[in-house]
Amino acid sequence: MKTALEAVEITPGTHWIGALDPGLREFDIILKTANGTTYNSYCVRGSQGVAVIDTVKASHSDEFFARLEQVARYDEISTIVLNHLEPDHSGALPELMRRAPQAKLYISAKAQLMLKALVRDSELDFTIVQTGDTVTLGDRTLRFFSTPFLHWPDTQCTLLEEQQILFSGDVFGCHFCDARLFNDRVGDFRFSFEYYYQHIMRPFREHVLVALELLEPLTLKLIAPAHGPILREAPRSYVQRYRQLASPLLPNEIGAHDKSLLIFYISSYGNTARMAQAVSEGAETIAGVRVSLYDLQAGGDLPFVDLIEEADGIVIGSPTINGDAVKPVWDLLSSLAVIKVSDKLGGAFGSYGWSGEAINMIEDRLRGLKLRVPVKGVRARLIPAAEELERCHDLGRQLALHLTGSLANRVISMSELLANSHE
Ligand code: FEO
């Protein structure tokens, strides 16, 4: 296994000059990695200039500069491209620009504010590029593709046209450190690729689909991402996998014109379960809404997250225990960070003994996740009375009407708001 600080030629005149970080076990606090990561950087030599594509985390700068110096002099560098400004790729940029002051820096439009915040140099010179713009290195051409929100607003991809290499930034990457570098030589990294997509790209599924429209038509001999193996064996299969992962999970289950409303509940004595049943029955009275009912005690967060990603609305029922909603509810809500929920509708209900805070807390959390909560939740003390079950029925019916667009958003008066807040 290669561990020396050697630059690695990936195609004639194009080298990997990145850094290995095999000891890393957690990335950005939220991501685990079983064997570290790589910060991939690349150097492209043309007949009239040298380009550096992305840099590395500041802590690994020495490794990066050692490899760069094997394949280019600083005064040869004409072009620096940053596909993404997160510090794991921009860390060595200030020092690179100090060593190669003649080089022109190319970034996306969204990257400029971030660049100023990261580098803190008001004199910093850069050029904004967008889809279709090119930079020439003489006999080689870099073409830019704007791919925002994969996974930051600034992200872009860069194609080396003559060699059909896509420098893809975080896209098609993964946290997997193996000095053998190429996907046909490293260990089995499939789980890392899937894990990375699920945690980094999945919240931006719609943006993935937009980017694929740009990237799928390209003829690619090699994908050179910013993390993990360089994809030279069957590069298109990774593009195709992104298409599969970003496509709807359940295209045939819910009719194209039906809305999907999911009701999750958990119940100590069957009271919140009764309320859930009433919410469900109320929602089912509205044509065009497919209603599903799930007991949180018997499900798993991951399958539920998959369902929620596809749904149009979610309603959550929880008892109040010690002034709080119960843990399975919070577990589910905290699992939603990996999907987009801001376009969905939400609601809450539940039985309680003496205080009943859970419903407001769930509604607040749903609003915090940017769901629309158009109907006030229903609380019932202990065993729900017929009138309270009727209110649950109405909650389901109204939420379903909102889903179908049959109810306009209601304007709540200040007096009503104050009255509700003292309930
Ligand atoms: Fe690898 Fe989003 O930084």
Side-chain angles (χ1 to χ4, degrees):
M1 189 178 290
K2 194 188 299 287
T3 54
L5 299 178
E6 295 174 16
V8 178
E9 190 171 66
I10 62 173
T11 56
T14 298
H15 289 80
W16 174 84
I17 54 168
L20 306 175
D21 191 356
L24 189 80
R25 292 294 174 269
E26 270 188 359
F27 189 91
D28 275 0
I29 306 170
I30 55 168
L31 284 183
K32 297 200 179 306
T33 173
N35 69 341
T37 194
T38 64
Y39 311 109
N40 295 338
S41 171
Y42 303 93
C43 183
V44 180
R45 177 171 290 281
S47 61
Q48 293 174 24
V50 168
V52 173
I53 318 279
D54 293 325
T55 73
V56 301
K57 195 173 176 179
S59 56
H60 288 66
S61 295
D62 289 348
E63 207 177 322
F64 161 72
F65 286 118
R67 291 194 168 99
L68 172 57
E69 288 170 12
Q70 291 168 30
V71 293
R73 296 191 319 270
Y74 291 112
D75 63 5
E76 292 180 300
I77 299 172
S78 59
T79 301
I80 300 169
V81 174
L82 272 206
N83 283 325
H84 175 32
L85 264 70
E86 199 165 359
D88 50 324
H89 308 296
S90 61
L93 177 70
E95 178 60 17
L96 176 61
M97 295 186 76
R98 194 186 67 74
R99 297 187 188 192
Q102 75 290 340
K104 283 190 86 169
L105 173 63
Y106 295 89
I107 57 173
S108 73
K110 294 267 176 53
Q112 50 189 319
L113 284 179
M114 294 175 193
L115 183 68
K116 286 171 184 165
L118 283 166
V119 178
R120 299 289 178 200
D121 179 354
S122 57
E123 303 297 309
L124 196 65
D125 194 25
F126 54 86
T127 301
I128 301 293
V129 289
Q130 53 193 355
T131 298
D133 288 347
T134 57
V135 170
T136 181
L137 303 172
D139 59 349
R140 295 200 167 156
T141 312
L142 298 172
R143 181 177 293 274
F144 301 100
F145 294 87
S146 177
T147 55
F149 293 102
L150 301 186
H151 62 121
W152 271 22
D154 66 319
T155 45
Q156 64 176 8
C157 295
T158 302
L159 180 72
L160 176 54
E161 288 190 328
E162 292 76 9
Q163 295 190 324
Q164 296 172 326
I165 298 175
L166 184 71
F167 301 103
S168 58
D170 283 342
V171 184
F172 308 124
C174 62
H175 291 311
F176 189 86
C177 183
D178 189 322
R180 292 169 291 189
L181 284 186
F182 296 98
N183 66 329
D184 53 313
R185 295 178 62 203
V186 300
D188 191 336
F189 66 100
R190 286 175 295 180
F191 76 97
S192 299
F193 185 87
E194 301 285 315
Y195 179 83
Y196 191 88
Y197 177 88
Q198 294 296 343
H199 288 80
I200 297 290
M201 299 297 165
R202 185 177 180 180
F204 305 100
R205 187 170 77 161
E206 291 168 9
H207 297 280
V208 171
L209 292 171
V210 172
L212 287 174
E213 294 297 315
L214 283 178
L215 303 181
E216 282 174 332
L218 303 177
T219 302
L220 299 178
K221 284 207 177 118
L222 189 150
I223 296 175
H227 295 290
I230 297 167
L231 309 172
R232 68 179 177 187
E233 175 91 18
R236 285 208 72 79
S237 67
Y238 298 92
V239 181
Q240 288 162 356
R241 183 63 183 144
Y242 261 48
R243 170 63 71 177
Q244 290 171 343
L245 290 167
S247 297
L249 298 170
L250 303 168
N252 302 319
E253 281 297 312
I254 307 292
H257 303 295
D258 284 348
K259 299 293 181 182
S260 170
L261 180 67
L262 310 183
I263 301 166
F264 297 96
Y265 69 93
I266 188 162
S267 187
S268 304
Y269 298 105
N271 297 325
T272 301
R274 270 187 217 112
M275 298 174 76
Q277 189 62 39
V279 173
S280 175
E281 289 169 5
E284 282 174 25
T285 62
I286 305 304
V289 177
R290 176 91 165 259
V291 184
S292 311
L293 191 60
Y294 303 104
D295 186 341
L296 272 178
Q297 211 163 3
D301 289 338
L302 274 182
F304 286 155
V305 169
D306 287 350
L307 289 173
I308 291 171
E309 185 174 35
E310 301 295 314
D312 300 292
I314 59 172
V315 199
I316 296 178
S318 173
T320 298
I321 296 182
N322 294 334
D324 200 354
V326 295
K327 186 170 180 295
V329 168
W330 295 125
D331 286 347
L332 179 68
L333 290 171
S334 66
S335 301
L336 302 184
V338 298
I339 59 172
K340 183 184 176 195
V341 290
S342 58
D343 55 349
K344 303 185 194 306
L345 178 153
F349 62 91
S351 166
Y352 67 98
W354 58 91
S355 52
E357 292 93 339
I359 290 78
N360 284 348
M361 293 168 97
I362 294 169
E363 287 178 335
D364 285 347
R365 178 64 183 143
L366 292 172
R367 289 193 189 96
L369 290 168
K370 297 191 171 55
L371 281 85
R372 191 162 64 88
V373 182
V375 187
K376 186 169 172 50
V378 179
R379 301 187 305 163
R381 188 185 289 274
L382 297 172
I383 299 172
E387 180 271 334
E388 288 162 330
L389 288 174
E390 187 54 41
R391 285 174 53 210
C392 288
H393 190 278
D394 196 51
L395 171 67
R397 200 180 68 85
Q398 287 199 53
L399 288 172
L401 286 170
H402 275 279
L403 281 181
T404 58
S406 308
L407 274 186
N409 289 333
R410 193 162 62 93
V411 177
I412 299 175
S413 69
M414 185 53 76
S415 58
E416 187 182 358
L417 193 63
L418 289 172
N420 284 338
S421 70
H422 290 104
E423 268 186 14

